Amino acid sequence: MQSYVPVEHAVSLIPHTTEFLPLINAVIGASGPDRRHTWDRSGKYATVCKRVVDPAGVRERIPALAAQVRERLQELFSLVMEAIRAYQAGELEVSAATFVRAGELEEGEGRLAEAERLYLLALEVAEAADDRRPEILALRRLGRAAHAAGRLAESRDRYERSYFLSVRTRDLPGQAAACRSLGAIWAEQGRWADARAWYTRGMQLAGRLDPELRYPFLCRLAALALQVGDLDEAEAQLEQARQAIEATGVEQDTAPWHHTRGLLLDARGDLPGAERAYREGLDRVRQPACEIRMRVDLGHNLVRQGRLFEAREEARRAEEMAIRRRLVPALVGVYGLLGAVAREQCDEDGFVFFEQALELCREQELPKVHEAAVYHEYGLFLQSCGHASEAPAYLELARELYREMGLAREVERVSADLRGVEG
């Protein structure tokens, strides 16, 4: 006889360490809706932790899960020992590159701290090598790890070092890769001119390597123009991106183009047009994480159209995909969408979605930028539901987190909302 346990109870009894994260995600991935509450009021507010799981079913999967963990550890240990062998043999470039591969393996499992330690070892070895390419790659990987952890200043420093080292060694692919990441970091900090300069430089370098490589940069420039409110510039960049795809004759992943097009039409107030763009993107999407983000943005579009039931349905589809694919961090955006639906309905019980999002941020040890965004939306939700006295505390938490990360644009956005609440 099956005995179901609420996910929140099961997860609370598992140690919250990186070693147990695969088991936590396996419990979440094996869960399902509590059918006893599918049609009652509590089912409407169900989140991942309110789902139920059969411990016996998960236990049956443990040998396969343990085998996956063993396989990963075996590969990881083999890479580290190969890096040591190469180092002892004086093959420093091989050693550094192998340490990078080991770090990428850990990073792919969400073990950022462990990945960063391996990247630092790679950098230490690479700095003594004659070939600078492993050093350039190690710096980029360290930049990526710091970026994912929300340490933007450190990330920027790593990428800048990789860029200038690439310039000295005439490594065009390395320069283009660093430009893309530096543009993203400056954009997050609201430094639009700097972001544009790096994206433009990267696009020019990419064009010298291969014309089809210009397409991702053009999409990023379009997204940047959207962030600063220059809709005509965004339109022009997207048109250039479309032409670049057609000119190369190479099949590209066009989902990002349709996604950005949807955001542009949303900003123009063409809600039906934006909806069509999102749906066209969903027809072409290749990456599950990209599909989840697009469904969340489509859901927000439907909220603006007043189609709350459909918005909730998109959120639940995205939720199911995130759970099935074990993309647990993606659930934060999903619950933000469900919170937005509750906000439109002035449904005070919608607070459960924000609380769940915050809990996921902590359990998954996500970068603080995600937690700050949830606090921001939580404050606006409380204000909308008539709890104006409670809203400023959440907005202050969001502003302080953004300030700690140096995200000036977000600090100003939250400050403007605080003035609206307190005024």
Side-chain angles (χ1 to χ4, degrees), residues 92 95-97 99-100 115-129 132-143 157-158 161-162 165:
L92 300 185
S95 178
F99 273 126
V100 167
E116 204 164 2
R117 283 193 284 270
L118 288 162
Y119 293 147
L120 283 169
L121 283 170
L123 180 62
E124 182 180 343
V125 172
E127 286 174 339
R132 301 267 64 86
R133 285 175 297 180
E135 182 180 355
I136 291 167
L137 179 59
L139 284 167
R140 287 210 311 271
R141 292 296 178 266
L142 282 165
D157 177 67
R158 300 291 194 185
R161 284 179 59 191
S162 75
L165 188 55

PDB file of all heavy atoms in Angstrom, residues 92 95-97 99-100 115-129 132-143 157-158 161-162 165:
ATOM      1  N   LEU A  92      51.525  21.390 -18.452  1.00  0.00           N
ATOM      2  CA  LEU A  92      50.727  22.324 -17.658  1.00  0.00           C
ATOM      3  C   LEU A  92      49.439  22.726 -18.358  1.00  0.00           C
ATOM      4  O   LEU A  92      48.406  22.903 -17.702  1.00  0.00           O
ATOM      5  CB  LEU A  92      51.568  23.559 -17.336  1.00  0.00           C
ATOM      6  CG  LEU A  92      52.858  23.298 -16.540  1.00  0.00           C
ATOM      7  CD1 LEU A  92      53.534  24.621 -16.174  1.00  0.00           C
ATOM      8  CD2 LEU A  92      52.573  22.475 -15.291  1.00  0.00           C
ATOM      9  N   SER A  95      47.032  19.906 -17.887  1.00  0.00           N
ATOM     10  CA  SER A  95      46.590  19.855 -16.495  1.00  0.00           C
ATOM     11  C   SER A  95      45.539  20.915 -16.215  1.00  0.00           C
ATOM     12  O   SER A  95      44.486  20.622 -15.629  1.00  0.00           O
ATOM     13  CB  SER A  95      47.789  20.042 -15.569  1.00  0.00           C
ATOM     14  OG  SER A  95      47.379  20.041 -14.213  1.00  0.00           O
ATOM     15  N   ALA A  96      45.807  22.147 -16.637  1.00  0.00           N
ATOM     16  CA  ALA A  96      44.865  23.242 -16.375  1.00  0.00           C
ATOM     17  C   ALA A  96      43.533  22.992 -17.075  1.00  0.00           C
ATOM     18  O   ALA A  96      42.459  23.175 -16.488  1.00  0.00           O
ATOM     19  CB  ALA A  96      45.467  24.569 -16.836  1.00  0.00           C
ATOM     20  N   ALA A  97      43.591  22.570 -18.344  1.00  0.00           N
ATOM     21  CA  ALA A  97      42.354  22.312 -19.087  1.00  0.00           C
ATOM     22  C   ALA A  97      41.547  21.190 -18.444  1.00  0.00           C
ATOM     23  O   ALA A  97      40.314  21.218 -18.434  1.00  0.00           O
ATOM     24  CB  ALA A  97      42.689  21.959 -20.538  1.00  0.00           C
ATOM     25  N   PHE A  99      41.560  20.377 -15.166  1.00  0.00           N
ATOM     26  CA  PHE A  99      40.939  20.928 -13.963  1.00  0.00           C
ATOM     27  C   PHE A  99      39.684  21.734 -14.329  1.00  0.00           C
ATOM     28  O   PHE A  99      38.676  21.694 -13.609  1.00  0.00           O
ATOM     29  CB  PHE A  99      41.922  21.822 -13.207  1.00  0.00           C
ATOM     30  CG  PHE A  99      42.799  21.088 -12.228  1.00  0.00           C
ATOM     31  CD1 PHE A  99      44.184  21.217 -12.285  1.00  0.00           C
ATOM     32  CD2 PHE A  99      42.251  20.282 -11.243  1.00  0.00           C
ATOM     33  CE1 PHE A  99      44.991  20.543 -11.375  1.00  0.00           C
ATOM     34  CE2 PHE A  99      43.050  19.597 -10.330  1.00  0.00           C
ATOM     35  CZ  PHE A  99      44.437  19.731 -10.401  1.00  0.00           C
ATOM     36  N   VAL A 100      39.736  22.451 -15.441  1.00  0.00           N
ATOM     37  CA  VAL A 100      38.553  23.197 -15.892  1.00  0.00           C
ATOM     38  C   VAL A 100      37.404  22.252 -16.190  1.00  0.00           C
ATOM     39  O   VAL A 100      36.255  22.495 -15.794  1.00  0.00           O
ATOM     40  CB  VAL A 100      38.886  24.062 -17.129  1.00  0.00           C
ATOM     41  CG1 VAL A 100      37.596  24.582 -17.785  1.00  0.00           C
ATOM     42  CG2 VAL A 100      39.764  25.241 -16.742  1.00  0.00           C
ATOM     43  N   ALA A 115      33.020  23.801  -7.763  1.00  0.00           N
ATOM     44  CA  ALA A 115      33.500  24.136  -9.102  1.00  0.00           C
ATOM     45  C   ALA A 115      34.525  25.266  -9.043  1.00  0.00           C
ATOM     46  O   ALA A 115      35.564  25.221  -9.713  1.00  0.00           O
ATOM     47  CB  ALA A 115      32.325  24.548  -9.990  1.00  0.00           C
ATOM     48  N   GLU A 116      34.246  26.257  -8.207  1.00  0.00           N
ATOM     49  CA  GLU A 116      35.142  27.402  -8.108  1.00  0.00           C
ATOM     50  C   GLU A 116      36.518  26.987  -7.603  1.00  0.00           C
ATOM     51  O   GLU A 116      37.547  27.484  -8.077  1.00  0.00           O
ATOM     52  CB  GLU A 116      34.520  28.453  -7.188  1.00  0.00           C
ATOM     53  CG  GLU A 116      35.023  29.843  -7.437  1.00  0.00           C
ATOM     54  CD  GLU A 116      34.122  30.897  -6.811  1.00  0.00           C
ATOM     55  OE1 GLU A 116      33.122  30.537  -6.151  1.00  0.00           O
ATOM     56  OE2 GLU A 116      34.429  32.076  -6.969  1.00  0.00           O
ATOM     57  N   ARG A 117      36.570  26.064  -6.662  1.00  0.00           N
ATOM     58  CA  ARG A 117      37.865  25.595  -6.156  1.00  0.00           C
ATOM     59  C   ARG A 117      38.675  24.916  -7.266  1.00  0.00           C
ATOM     60  O   ARG A 117      39.896  25.087  -7.360  1.00  0.00           O
ATOM     61  CB  ARG A 117      37.653  24.644  -4.984  1.00  0.00           C
ATOM     62  CG  ARG A 117      37.302  25.368  -3.683  1.00  0.00           C
ATOM     63  CD  ARG A 117      37.422  24.442  -2.487  1.00  0.00           C
ATOM     64  NE  ARG A 117      36.309  23.514  -2.402  1.00  0.00           N
ATOM     65  CZ  ARG A 117      35.180  23.761  -1.743  1.00  0.00           C
ATOM     66  NH1 ARG A 117      35.014  24.924  -1.133  1.00  0.00           N
ATOM     67  NH2 ARG A 117      34.201  22.864  -1.692  1.00  0.00           N
ATOM     68  N   LEU A 118      38.007  24.155  -8.106  1.00  0.00           N
ATOM     69  CA  LEU A 118      38.698  23.492  -9.210  1.00  0.00           C
ATOM     70  C   LEU A 118      39.158  24.508 -10.257  1.00  0.00           C
ATOM     71  O   LEU A 118      40.260  24.371 -10.823  1.00  0.00           O
ATOM     72  CB  LEU A 118      37.781  22.444  -9.834  1.00  0.00           C
ATOM     73  CG  LEU A 118      37.567  21.203  -8.964  1.00  0.00           C
ATOM     74  CD1 LEU A 118      36.343  20.423  -9.419  1.00  0.00           C
ATOM     75  CD2 LEU A 118      38.809  20.306  -8.999  1.00  0.00           C
ATOM     76  N   TYR A 119      38.335  25.523 -10.517  1.00  0.00           N
ATOM     77  CA  TYR A 119      38.744  26.562 -11.463  1.00  0.00           C
ATOM     78  C   TYR A 119      39.957  27.333 -10.938  1.00  0.00           C
ATOM     79  O   TYR A 119      40.841  27.733 -11.717  1.00  0.00           O
ATOM     80  CB  TYR A 119      37.589  27.527 -11.726  1.00  0.00           C
ATOM     81  CG  TYR A 119      36.413  26.928 -12.464  1.00  0.00           C
ATOM     82  CD1 TYR A 119      35.109  27.357 -12.211  1.00  0.00           C
ATOM     83  CD2 TYR A 119      36.585  25.933 -13.424  1.00  0.00           C
ATOM     84  CE1 TYR A 119      34.024  26.816 -12.880  1.00  0.00           C
ATOM     85  CE2 TYR A 119      35.512  25.386 -14.109  1.00  0.00           C
ATOM     86  CZ  TYR A 119      34.230  25.829 -13.826  1.00  0.00           C
ATOM     87  OH  TYR A 119      33.161  25.294 -14.501  1.00  0.00           O
ATOM     88  N   LEU A 120      40.003  27.556  -9.632  1.00  0.00           N
ATOM     89  CA  LEU A 120      41.154  28.240  -9.046  1.00  0.00           C
ATOM     90  C   LEU A 120      42.424  27.398  -9.195  1.00  0.00           C
ATOM     91  O   LEU A 120      43.508  27.934  -9.454  1.00  0.00           O
ATOM     92  CB  LEU A 120      40.892  28.547  -7.569  1.00  0.00           C
ATOM     93  CG  LEU A 120      39.957  29.727  -7.298  1.00  0.00           C
ATOM     94  CD1 LEU A 120      39.550  29.773  -5.832  1.00  0.00           C
ATOM     95  CD2 LEU A 120      40.623  31.051  -7.705  1.00  0.00           C
ATOM     96  N   LEU A 121      42.304  26.079  -9.027  1.00  0.00           N
ATOM     97  CA  LEU A 121      43.445  25.197  -9.258  1.00  0.00           C
ATOM     98  C   LEU A 121      43.890  25.282 -10.719  1.00  0.00           C
ATOM     99  O   LEU A 121      45.093  25.331 -11.014  1.00  0.00           O
ATOM    100  CB  LEU A 121      43.073  23.756  -8.914  1.00  0.00           C
ATOM    101  CG  LEU A 121      43.036  23.391  -7.425  1.00  0.00           C
ATOM    102  CD1 LEU A 121      42.411  22.008  -7.242  1.00  0.00           C
ATOM    103  CD2 LEU A 121      44.453  23.404  -6.852  1.00  0.00           C
ATOM    104  N   ALA A 122      42.906  25.297 -11.625  1.00  0.00           N
ATOM    105  CA  ALA A 122      43.227  25.409 -13.051  1.00  0.00           C
ATOM    106  C   ALA A 122      43.983  26.704 -13.329  1.00  0.00           C
ATOM    107  O   ALA A 122      44.976  26.722 -14.073  1.00  0.00           O
ATOM    108  CB  ALA A 122      41.943  25.358 -13.884  1.00  0.00           C
ATOM    109  N   LEU A 123      43.523  27.783 -12.730  1.00  0.00           N
ATOM    110  CA  LEU A 123      44.179  29.078 -12.946  1.00  0.00           C
ATOM    111  C   LEU A 123      45.603  29.063 -12.406  1.00  0.00           C
ATOM    112  O   LEU A 123      46.535  29.568 -13.055  1.00  0.00           O
ATOM    113  CB  LEU A 123      43.365  30.177 -12.266  1.00  0.00           C
ATOM    114  CG  LEU A 123      43.917  31.602 -12.396  1.00  0.00           C
ATOM    115  CD1 LEU A 123      43.963  32.021 -13.865  1.00  0.00           C
ATOM    116  CD2 LEU A 123      43.068  32.582 -11.586  1.00  0.00           C
ATOM    117  N   GLU A 124      45.775  28.482 -11.222  1.00  0.00           N
ATOM    118  CA  GLU A 124      47.108  28.425 -10.615  1.00  0.00           C
ATOM    119  C   GLU A 124      48.087  27.676 -11.513  1.00  0.00           C
ATOM    120  O   GLU A 124      49.231  28.106 -11.712  1.00  0.00           O
ATOM    121  CB  GLU A 124      47.013  27.748  -9.250  1.00  0.00           C
ATOM    122  CG  GLU A 124      48.337  27.665  -8.505  1.00  0.00           C
ATOM    123  CD  GLU A 124      48.187  26.975  -7.162  1.00  0.00           C
ATOM    124  OE1 GLU A 124      47.042  26.857  -6.667  1.00  0.00           O
ATOM    125  OE2 GLU A 124      49.211  26.547  -6.608  1.00  0.00           O
ATOM    126  N   VAL A 125      47.641  26.552 -12.068  1.00  0.00           N
ATOM    127  CA  VAL A 125      48.500  25.771 -12.955  1.00  0.00           C
ATOM    128  C   VAL A 125      48.724  26.510 -14.268  1.00  0.00           C
ATOM    129  O   VAL A 125      49.853  26.577 -14.785  1.00  0.00           O
ATOM    130  CB  VAL A 125      47.879  24.386 -13.214  1.00  0.00           C
ATOM    131  CG1 VAL A 125      48.665  23.631 -14.280  1.00  0.00           C
ATOM    132  CG2 VAL A 125      47.817  23.580 -11.929  1.00  0.00           C
ATOM    133  N   ALA A 126      47.663  27.091 -14.815  1.00  0.00           N
ATOM    134  CA  ALA A 126      47.743  27.732 -16.124  1.00  0.00           C
ATOM    135  C   ALA A 126      48.666  28.942 -16.125  1.00  0.00           C
ATOM    136  O   ALA A 126      49.299  29.251 -17.144  1.00  0.00           O
ATOM    137  CB  ALA A 126      46.346  28.153 -16.580  1.00  0.00           C
ATOM    138  N   GLU A 127      48.755  29.644 -15.006  1.00  0.00           N
ATOM    139  CA  GLU A 127      49.592  30.842 -14.960  1.00  0.00           C
ATOM    140  C   GLU A 127      51.070  30.524 -15.162  1.00  0.00           C
ATOM    141  O   GLU A 127      51.849  31.400 -15.530  1.00  0.00           O
ATOM    142  CB  GLU A 127      49.380  31.566 -13.619  1.00  0.00           C
ATOM    143  CG  GLU A 127      48.045  32.303 -13.550  1.00  0.00           C
ATOM    144  CD  GLU A 127      47.761  32.885 -12.184  1.00  0.00           C
ATOM    145  OE1 GLU A 127      48.368  32.408 -11.193  1.00  0.00           O
ATOM    146  OE2 GLU A 127      46.934  33.823 -12.096  1.00  0.00           O
ATOM    147  N   ALA A 128      51.458  29.263 -14.927  1.00  0.00           N
ATOM    148  CA  ALA A 128      52.850  28.872 -15.117  1.00  0.00           C
ATOM    149  C   ALA A 128      53.095  28.243 -16.488  1.00  0.00           C
ATOM    150  O   ALA A 128      54.232  27.873 -16.805  1.00  0.00           O
ATOM    151  CB  ALA A 128      53.263  27.884 -14.022  1.00  0.00           C
ATOM    152  N   ALA A 129      52.041  28.113 -17.303  1.00  0.00           N
ATOM    153  CA  ALA A 129      52.172  27.473 -18.615  1.00  0.00           C
ATOM    154  C   ALA A 129      52.579  28.491 -19.677  1.00  0.00           C
ATOM    155  O   ALA A 129      52.435  29.708 -19.495  1.00  0.00           O
ATOM    156  CB  ALA A 129      50.854  26.802 -18.995  1.00  0.00           C
ATOM    157  N   ARG A 132      48.610  30.520 -23.159  1.00  0.00           N
ATOM    158  CA  ARG A 132      47.733  31.328 -22.311  1.00  0.00           C
ATOM    159  C   ARG A 132      46.263  30.921 -22.417  1.00  0.00           C
ATOM    160  O   ARG A 132      45.437  31.377 -21.641  1.00  0.00           O
ATOM    161  CB  ARG A 132      47.854  32.824 -22.678  1.00  0.00           C
ATOM    162  CG  ARG A 132      49.261  33.376 -22.529  1.00  0.00           C
ATOM    163  CD  ARG A 132      49.452  33.997 -21.147  1.00  0.00           C
ATOM    164  NE  ARG A 132      49.354  33.067 -20.054  1.00  0.00           N
ATOM    165  CZ  ARG A 132      50.366  32.329 -19.587  1.00  0.00           C
ATOM    166  NH1 ARG A 132      51.540  32.384 -20.155  1.00  0.00           N
ATOM    167  NH2 ARG A 132      50.194  31.512 -18.560  1.00  0.00           N
ATOM    168  N   ARG A 133      45.912  30.075 -23.372  1.00  0.00           N
ATOM    169  CA  ARG A 133      44.492  29.747 -23.565  1.00  0.00           C
ATOM    170  C   ARG A 133      43.850  29.074 -22.357  1.00  0.00           C
ATOM    171  O   ARG A 133      42.715  29.427 -21.996  1.00  0.00           O
ATOM    172  CB  ARG A 133      44.325  28.894 -24.819  1.00  0.00           C
ATOM    173  CG  ARG A 133      44.453  29.683 -26.119  1.00  0.00           C
ATOM    174  CD  ARG A 133      44.406  28.796 -27.326  1.00  0.00           C
ATOM    175  NE  ARG A 133      45.538  27.860 -27.346  1.00  0.00           N
ATOM    176  CZ  ARG A 133      45.748  26.959 -28.299  1.00  0.00           C
ATOM    177  NH1 ARG A 133      44.891  26.839 -29.306  1.00  0.00           N
ATOM    178  NH2 ARG A 133      46.798  26.159 -28.246  1.00  0.00           N
ATOM    179  N   PRO A 134      44.498  28.118 -21.688  1.00  0.00           N
ATOM    180  CA  PRO A 134      43.876  27.549 -20.483  1.00  0.00           C
ATOM    181  C   PRO A 134      43.666  28.595 -19.386  1.00  0.00           C
ATOM    182  O   PRO A 134      42.664  28.531 -18.658  1.00  0.00           O
ATOM    183  CB  PRO A 134      44.884  26.479 -20.046  1.00  0.00           C
ATOM    184  CG  PRO A 134      45.607  26.099 -21.284  1.00  0.00           C
ATOM    185  CD  PRO A 134      45.724  27.381 -22.063  1.00  0.00           C
ATOM    186  N   GLU A 135      44.573  29.553 -19.267  1.00  0.00           N
ATOM    187  CA  GLU A 135      44.411  30.616 -18.277  1.00  0.00           C
ATOM    188  C   GLU A 135      43.202  31.480 -18.619  1.00  0.00           C
ATOM    189  O   GLU A 135      42.406  31.853 -17.742  1.00  0.00           O
ATOM    190  CB  GLU A 135      45.670  31.474 -18.217  1.00  0.00           C
ATOM    191  CG  GLU A 135      45.612  32.575 -17.174  1.00  0.00           C
ATOM    192  CD  GLU A 135      46.886  33.408 -17.138  1.00  0.00           C
ATOM    193  OE1 GLU A 135      47.846  33.071 -17.850  1.00  0.00           O
ATOM    194  OE2 GLU A 135      46.906  34.417 -16.396  1.00  0.00           O
ATOM    195  N   ILE A 136      43.053  31.789 -19.897  1.00  0.00           N
ATOM    196  CA  ILE A 136      41.914  32.593 -20.348  1.00  0.00           C
ATOM    197  C   ILE A 136      40.603  31.877 -20.033  1.00  0.00           C
ATOM    198  O   ILE A 136      39.651  32.482 -19.528  1.00  0.00           O
ATOM    199  CB  ILE A 136      42.034  32.885 -21.865  1.00  0.00           C
ATOM    200  CG1 ILE A 136      43.208  33.840 -22.131  1.00  0.00           C
ATOM    201  CG2 ILE A 136      40.726  33.461 -22.407  1.00  0.00           C
ATOM    202  CD1 ILE A 136      43.588  33.936 -23.596  1.00  0.00           C
ATOM    203  N   LEU A 137      40.570  30.578 -20.319  1.00  0.00           N
ATOM    204  CA  LEU A 137      39.351  29.804 -20.058  1.00  0.00           C
ATOM    205  C   LEU A 137      39.071  29.712 -18.562  1.00  0.00           C
ATOM    206  O   LEU A 137      37.915  29.857 -18.135  1.00  0.00           O
ATOM    207  CB  LEU A 137      39.493  28.405 -20.663  1.00  0.00           C
ATOM    208  CG  LEU A 137      38.306  27.462 -20.465  1.00  0.00           C
ATOM    209  CD1 LEU A 137      37.039  28.054 -21.072  1.00  0.00           C
ATOM    210  CD2 LEU A 137      38.599  26.091 -21.067  1.00  0.00           C
ATOM    211  N   ALA A 138      40.112  29.473 -17.760  1.00  0.00           N
ATOM    212  CA  ALA A 138      39.916  29.374 -16.307  1.00  0.00           C
ATOM    213  C   ALA A 138      39.372  30.681 -15.745  1.00  0.00           C
ATOM    214  O   ALA A 138      38.489  30.682 -14.873  1.00  0.00           O
ATOM    215  CB  ALA A 138      41.234  29.017 -15.632  1.00  0.00           C
ATOM    216  N   LEU A 139      39.863  31.810 -16.248  1.00  0.00           N
ATOM    217  CA  LEU A 139      39.371  33.112 -15.786  1.00  0.00           C
ATOM    218  C   LEU A 139      37.898  33.292 -16.152  1.00  0.00           C
ATOM    219  O   LEU A 139      37.106  33.798 -15.351  1.00  0.00           O
ATOM    220  CB  LEU A 139      40.209  34.233 -16.393  1.00  0.00           C
ATOM    221  CG  LEU A 139      41.591  34.441 -15.771  1.00  0.00           C
ATOM    222  CD1 LEU A 139      42.450  35.346 -16.657  1.00  0.00           C
ATOM    223  CD2 LEU A 139      41.463  35.045 -14.373  1.00  0.00           C
ATOM    224  N   ARG A 140      37.535  32.853 -17.365  1.00  0.00           N
ATOM    225  CA  ARG A 140      36.126  32.983 -17.764  1.00  0.00           C
ATOM    226  C   ARG A 140      35.234  32.103 -16.890  1.00  0.00           C
ATOM    227  O   ARG A 140      34.133  32.504 -16.510  1.00  0.00           O
ATOM    228  CB  ARG A 140      35.947  32.622 -19.239  1.00  0.00           C
ATOM    229  CG  ARG A 140      36.468  33.655 -20.210  1.00  0.00           C
ATOM    230  CD  ARG A 140      35.675  33.669 -21.515  1.00  0.00           C
ATOM    231  NE  ARG A 140      35.503  32.356 -22.093  1.00  0.00           N
ATOM    232  CZ  ARG A 140      36.349  31.768 -22.945  1.00  0.00           C
ATOM    233  NH1 ARG A 140      37.456  32.395 -23.281  1.00  0.00           N
ATOM    234  NH2 ARG A 140      36.083  30.581 -23.446  1.00  0.00           N
ATOM    235  N   ARG A 141      35.690  30.916 -16.588  1.00  0.00           N
ATOM    236  CA  ARG A 141      34.878  30.029 -15.755  1.00  0.00           C
ATOM    237  C   ARG A 141      34.758  30.570 -14.328  1.00  0.00           C
ATOM    238  O   ARG A 141      33.700  30.466 -13.699  1.00  0.00           O
ATOM    239  CB  ARG A 141      35.472  28.618 -15.742  1.00  0.00           C
ATOM    240  CG  ARG A 141      35.372  27.896 -17.074  1.00  0.00           C
ATOM    241  CD  ARG A 141      33.914  27.658 -17.456  1.00  0.00           C
ATOM    242  NE  ARG A 141      33.798  27.016 -18.750  1.00  0.00           N
ATOM    243  CZ  ARG A 141      33.634  27.654 -19.900  1.00  0.00           C
ATOM    244  NH1 ARG A 141      33.531  28.989 -19.913  1.00  0.00           N
ATOM    245  NH2 ARG A 141      33.535  27.003 -21.032  1.00  0.00           N
ATOM    246  N   LEU A 142      35.824  31.149 -13.823  1.00  0.00           N
ATOM    247  CA  LEU A 142      35.747  31.790 -12.504  1.00  0.00           C
ATOM    248  C   LEU A 142      34.794  32.973 -12.542  1.00  0.00           C
ATOM    249  O   LEU A 142      34.042  33.215 -11.588  1.00  0.00           O
ATOM    250  CB  LEU A 142      37.137  32.229 -12.056  1.00  0.00           C
ATOM    251  CG  LEU A 142      38.034  31.114 -11.510  1.00  0.00           C
ATOM    252  CD1 LEU A 142      39.481  31.583 -11.440  1.00  0.00           C
ATOM    253  CD2 LEU A 142      37.554  30.664 -10.134  1.00  0.00           C
ATOM    254  N   GLY A 143      34.807  33.705 -13.642  1.00  0.00           N
ATOM    255  CA  GLY A 143      33.866  34.811 -13.794  1.00  0.00           C
ATOM    256  C   GLY A 143      32.436  34.338 -13.805  1.00  0.00           C
ATOM    257  O   GLY A 143      31.551  34.943 -13.199  1.00  0.00           O
ATOM    258  N   ASP A 157      35.852  41.506 -12.783  1.00  0.00           N
ATOM    259  CA  ASP A 157      37.314  41.520 -12.759  1.00  0.00           C
ATOM    260  C   ASP A 157      37.878  40.294 -13.468  1.00  0.00           C
ATOM    261  O   ASP A 157      38.848  40.408 -14.242  1.00  0.00           O
ATOM    262  CB  ASP A 157      37.796  41.558 -11.308  1.00  0.00           C
ATOM    263  CG  ASP A 157      39.314  41.507 -11.213  1.00  0.00           C
ATOM    264  OD1 ASP A 157      39.958  42.485 -11.636  1.00  0.00           O
ATOM    265  OD2 ASP A 157      39.844  40.495 -10.723  1.00  0.00           O
ATOM    266  N   ARG A 158      37.292  39.131 -13.230  1.00  0.00           N
ATOM    267  CA  ARG A 158      37.772  37.910 -13.880  1.00  0.00           C
ATOM    268  C   ARG A 158      37.604  37.990 -15.395  1.00  0.00           C
ATOM    269  O   ARG A 158      38.509  37.635 -16.163  1.00  0.00           O
ATOM    270  CB  ARG A 158      37.010  36.696 -13.351  1.00  0.00           C
ATOM    271  CG  ARG A 158      37.128  36.443 -11.863  1.00  0.00           C
ATOM    272  CD  ARG A 158      38.508  35.987 -11.454  1.00  0.00           C
ATOM    273  NE  ARG A 158      38.520  35.450 -10.100  1.00  0.00           N
ATOM    274  CZ  ARG A 158      39.606  35.068  -9.462  1.00  0.00           C
ATOM    275  NH1 ARG A 158      40.781  35.160 -10.041  1.00  0.00           N
ATOM    276  NH2 ARG A 158      39.535  34.598  -8.224  1.00  0.00           N
ATOM    277  N   ARG A 161      40.081  40.455 -16.987  1.00  0.00           N
ATOM    278  CA  ARG A 161      41.416  39.862 -17.092  1.00  0.00           C
ATOM    279  C   ARG A 161      41.480  38.888 -18.266  1.00  0.00           C
ATOM    280  O   ARG A 161      42.456  38.856 -19.016  1.00  0.00           O
ATOM    281  CB  ARG A 161      41.780  39.142 -15.794  1.00  0.00           C
ATOM    282  CG  ARG A 161      42.179  40.062 -14.657  1.00  0.00           C
ATOM    283  CD  ARG A 161      42.493  39.271 -13.400  1.00  0.00           C
ATOM    284  NE  ARG A 161      43.577  38.300 -13.619  1.00  0.00           N
ATOM    285  CZ  ARG A 161      43.896  37.343 -12.760  1.00  0.00           C
ATOM    286  NH1 ARG A 161      43.202  37.195 -11.624  1.00  0.00           N
ATOM    287  NH2 ARG A 161      44.897  36.513 -13.016  1.00  0.00           N
ATOM    288  N   SER A 162      40.426  38.089 -18.431  1.00  0.00           N
ATOM    289  CA  SER A 162      40.416  37.132 -19.543  1.00  0.00           C
ATOM    290  C   SER A 162      40.386  37.868 -20.878  1.00  0.00           C
ATOM    291  O   SER A 162      41.038  37.454 -21.845  1.00  0.00           O
ATOM    292  CB  SER A 162      39.224  36.180 -19.432  1.00  0.00           C
ATOM    293  OG  SER A 162      38.014  36.804 -19.788  1.00  0.00           O
ATOM    294  N   LEU A 165      43.868  39.521 -21.593  1.00  0.00           N
ATOM    295  CA  LEU A 165      44.823  38.458 -21.896  1.00  0.00           C
ATOM    296  C   LEU A 165      44.553  37.899 -23.295  1.00  0.00           C
ATOM    297  O   LEU A 165      45.491  37.589 -24.051  1.00  0.00           O
ATOM    298  CB  LEU A 165      44.722  37.355 -20.850  1.00  0.00           C
ATOM    299  CG  LEU A 165      45.778  36.248 -20.893  1.00  0.00           C
ATOM    300  CD1 LEU A 165      47.183  36.835 -20.826  1.00  0.00           C
ATOM    301  CD2 LEU A 165      45.558  35.268 -19.746  1.00  0.00           C
TER     302      LEU A 165
END
